[in-house]
Each structure stands twice: as structure tokens, then as C-alpha cells.
Amino acid sequence: MTNTSSNTRVRRSEQETAEQETETEESDLVCPECAGNLVVDDEHGETVCEDCGLVVEEDSVDRGPEWRAFDAAEKNEKSRVGAPTTNTMHDKGLSTNIDWRNKDAYGNSLGSRQREKMQRLRKWNERFRTRDSKERNLKQALGEIDRMASALGLPTNVRETASVIYRRALDEDLLPGRSIEGVSTACVYAAARQAGVPRSLDEIADVSRVEKNEIARTYRYVVRELGLEVQPADPESYVPRFASGLDLSDEAEHRARALLQNAKEKGVHSGKSPVGLAAAAVYAAALLTNEKTTQAAVSDVADISEVTIRNRYHELLEAEETLGLA
């Protein structure tokens, strides 16, 4: 008897709870003033009564996408559901990777049989990720681009741009007769100049696996064949990096920029190496602001000879004196 009565009470309480929830849902659908029907105005983010116009709720959250699509293809193209894609990976990051650490989800080490099994899975996963020689080529090149960009301290947007340039070169069949390393290095050099964070040819050659002459030759070929718009490197873009490497003050950096701007007005920069001009401007600015540095220190940071620094240094000071007299 006791069990029967307790079960009856539980069923009765569940029924009462369900009736209360139903009443609450119905009350949410009617106007509290006139019991009229409520409609949701998505355009203004409001819930309004059809009869009396009372705004029951405002500033509602729009849970839909912020973009519009007019057909199924456009909708699929704009949808951002799923993992983000990137051009820095040969499969655009859409495949899965098996971690090299032999541990489970809880951080515990795997047994010997499980380790052997995971090693086999890794091997076959790598084989399936690159289906043909073109994908193997792309995988090797993008790995080189990522390695060089990391060594040069280049940001992510430069790596993406370099990867896109290499993909274009591969699609337009520019690789036959040239090494993968040479073309990937040329792509990094071009992408850095396009992004306004240029690196000198000597800096690029230091982290590359090919010679400086091959890099320059391949760079000119890729730019010409792909029609890339690469502006001449601005000497001012090198100044912050050199000044930071020498621990110079903001005043010295601004003074170096001023020297280079004067040189541009006088046309001294024409035909000169932008790296040499920037290094000389940093050295001259350090002397003018009474900060201790040497030509040898500037030469180490800029990776350029002391003779070049001395020659450009005198030209910059002469250009400023000429402007001052004028």
C-alpha cells in the first residue's frame, strides 16, 4: 500500500509540473496586457504584440549568420562551420594528424602493443595524406616555407602569402628545371616584401638551403611569370628592426627615419641598397643622439659590410646638410 500511494504522489507531482510548464509556455506566447498574439520582429530584435503594439522583449540575440546567401552554392561557400582552412598545409588543414606522443587522452603511456599499433597508423596516415607526386612536392615546399619564416621571425600573413605564391607557381608549371627549395625561398622573399616586412637577400640566404645567386635568379623568374606586384623595398622598413637589435632609443629611431626621408628628397636612395641605407641611417642617428654604438655592431645586426655603412653614412649627412642650406 505504501509503495502504491508514493508512486501515485510522484505521478501527480510530475503531471502538475508539466501543466505548469505548459501554462508558462502559453503565457510567453500571449500579450500580458491584452492577451493578444506575440510576434518576433527579427529586423529590430523585438517581440511585439500584434493587437496593442506592446514591446514585450527587446534586444534579443540574433543566432543566425551575419551574412546572406541567395543560393545553395553561395551558402556552402560562406559557411564557416568546421575547422579553419589554411594555405600553409598541403591539404589546407582538413585532414587529421596522429600525435607523435605515445599517450592516451588521460596522459598515460601506452603499452607496447598499442605503441606498435599507433606507429603503423601514423605510417599509413602519412601515406594517405599525400596521394601523388604533386602533393608530396607541395608538402615538402610548404614545410620549407614554414621553417624559413620561423627562422626569420615572419608573421603568419607572410607565410600564407608565400604559400599562395608557391601554389600558383606549381599550378602554372614553373617548377621544372628548378629546385623546390629555390622556388619556396623565392616565394618567402617575395611575400615578405609584399607585406612590408622585407628581409635582405643575405638574411634569406642564411636560412635557405640554396645559394644566394639561385635565390635571386628564381625570384626574378617567379615575379615575372606570375606578374607579382612587388614594390622596391623601403629603407625605413628596416629601421625598427636594426634599432631594436642595437637597443637604441625611440629618439634615435625617429632621427634615422628623418635622415632617410631627407635622402629620398635629394634622390640619394636611387640605385642604393635599402639595407645599406637603413644601416647607415641608424648608425648616423645613434651618433647624432649621443648613443654609443659602433660600425661593427651595426654591421653585425644588418649583415652588411662596414665599408658600405661608411659610404652611405657620408652620403646621408651630405644630403641633410644640403637641405639645411637650401
Side-chain angles (χ1 to χ4, degrees), residues 3-116:
N3 291 336
T4 304
S5 60
S6 63
N7 290 337
T8 303
R9 284 197 298 270
V10 170
R11 284 198 297 271
R12 187 177 301 155
S13 63
E14 290 177 350
Q15 185 177 2
E16 290 174 354
T17 304
E19 290 175 355
Q20 289 174 359
E21 290 177 354
T22 304
E23 291 175 0
T24 304
E25 290 176 359
E26 290 177 352
S27 64
D28 291 340
L29 299 175
V30 297
C31 175
E33 292 289 335
C34 65
N37 292 327
L38 298 179
V39 293
V40 178
D41 185 355
D42 293 324
E43 184 177 354
H44 298 94
E46 298 173 342
T47 303
V48 187
C49 175
E50 279 186 323
D51 300 332
C52 67
L54 176 69
V55 179
V56 178
E57 185 182 354
E58 61 181 350
D59 297 330
S60 59
V61 178
D62 182 7
R63 303 187 183 279
E66 82 283 1
W67 43 263
R68 294 190 302 167
F70 301 99
D71 55 34
E74 188 177 3
K75 181 177 180 181
N76 291 333
E77 183 181 348
K78 290 185 175 181
S79 177
R80 291 191 294 274
V81 178
T85 58
T86 173
N87 284 302
T88 58
M89 299 180 70
H90 74 282
D91 51 15
K92 297 195 174 182
L94 297 177
S95 64
T96 56
N97 286 322
I98 301 176
D99 195 4
W100 59 270
R101 290 170 293 191
N102 291 313
K103 293 184 178 181
D104 61 12
Y106 300 101
N108 301 321
S109 297
L110 300 178
S112 58
R113 295 189 64 182
Q114 283 292 330
R115 283 200 301 271
E116 292 175 2

Side-chain angles (χ1 to χ4, degrees), residues 91-217:
D91 51 15
K92 297 195 174 182
L94 297 177
S95 64
T96 56
N97 286 322
I98 301 176
D99 195 4
W100 59 270
R101 290 170 293 191
N102 291 313
K103 293 184 178 181
D104 61 12
Y106 300 101
N108 301 321
S109 297
L110 300 178
S112 58
R113 295 189 64 182
Q114 283 292 330
R115 283 200 301 271
E116 292 175 2
K117 179 181 178 182
M118 295 307 296
Q119 187 59 35
R120 288 196 299 272
L121 287 174
R122 287 192 198 98
K123 183 189 297 183
W124 282 105
N125 185 51
E126 284 298 316
R127 290 177 179 175
F128 287 136
R129 285 182 65 190
T130 52
R131 292 169 295 180
D132 52 28
S133 60
K134 185 176 179 180
E135 285 198 2
R136 285 194 296 273
N137 177 319
L138 190 58
K139 182 181 178 183
Q140 181 183 346
L142 296 181
E144 279 291 298
I145 288 173
D146 189 61
R147 181 188 65 80
M148 288 185 287
S150 297
L152 293 166
L154 295 173
T156 306
N157 64 312
V158 175
R159 305 179 192 205
E160 289 277 352
T161 304
S163 302
V164 171
I165 294 173
Y166 189 89
R167 287 174 184 273
R168 286 186 57 194
L170 187 62
D171 291 339
E172 298 193 20
D173 204 25
L174 301 184
L175 267 69
R178 289 166 181 82
S179 66
I180 294 174
E181 291 84 359
V183 178
S184 57
T185 306
C187 293
V188 171
Y189 184 48
R193 291 185 63 172
Q194 282 187 331
V197 285
R199 297 292 185 268
S200 67
L201 206 54
D202 290 323
E203 289 178 293
I204 295 285
D206 286 342
V207 300
S208 177
R209 302 183 195 274
V210 294
E211 296 295 327
K212 179 179 174 181
N213 291 338
E214 183 181 346
I215 298 170
R217 186 169 58 249

